[in-house]
Amino acid sequence: MKSESLLGFIAGAAIGALAGILYAPDKGEETRKKLMEAASDGYDKAREEFDEFAHDAQVRYRYTRIEAKKLKKQLMEQGEDLKEDARKALLEQLEKLEAALAKDEDTAVREEA
């Protein structure tokens, strides 16, 4: 969006300068002076726009890196929680299995006696 407005500005400045030259009743020296001023003004404006664009891009880059680090930390914490939950569920299943095996063992011993 910014690049489109910058290009539009530059194109408008060039068209304006050209129209000024074609319709200006000034001498050649005066016309060249006006052209140089217009070109300088256009350059300054383009530089300001570029600097603003570069600054905005840098701010967005830094913000995105900070948010990415926060997300990474959050995902790692969730991964740790999931790992702990899975460990607990596995231990519960092992305890149930041990209890079932012990019950079967008791039943088998009673049947033999």
Side-chain angles (χ1 to χ4, degrees):
M1 184 83 137
K2 286 251 186 206
S3 62
E4 291 174 6
S5 64
L6 179 61
L7 289 174
F9 172 78
I10 292 171
I15 292 169
L18 182 60
I21 292 170
L22 294 175
Y23 294 105
D26 295 330
K27 295 180 184 177
E29 184 178 320
E30 197 59 36
T31 301
R32 284 189 295 276
K33 182 180 177 184
K34 286 182 180 181
L35 275 175
M36 290 300 290
E37 288 173 359
S40 178
D41 290 345
Y43 174 81
D44 291 343
K45 182 66 177 169
R47 185 67 192 185
E48 287 174 16
E49 290 282 331
F50 175 78
D51 288 345
E52 184 179 326
F53 173 78
H55 176 73
D56 289 348
Q58 189 176 35
V59 168
R60 287 183 180 148
Y61 171 76
R62 287 180 182 160
Y63 174 78
T64 302
R65 284 196 56 158
I66 290 168
E67 290 301 311
K69 285 181 181 180
K70 287 180 186 176
L71 181 60
K72 179 182 175 184
K73 182 180 178 184
Q74 182 182 11
L75 290 173
M76 290 186 72
E77 289 170 356
Q78 288 176 352
E80 289 296 322
D81 291 345
L82 288 173
K83 196 164 55 171
E84 183 62 25
D85 290 346
R87 189 184 70 75
K88 286 179 183 177
L90 182 59
L91 287 175
E92 287 175 9
Q93 291 300 319
L94 285 173
E95 288 171 1
K96 288 179 182 178
L97 180 60
E98 287 175 348
L101 289 174
K103 184 179 177 184
D104 285 345
E105 216 174 89
D106 287 343
T107 304
V109 170
R110 276 190 245 144
E111 288 177 359
E112 286 179 11

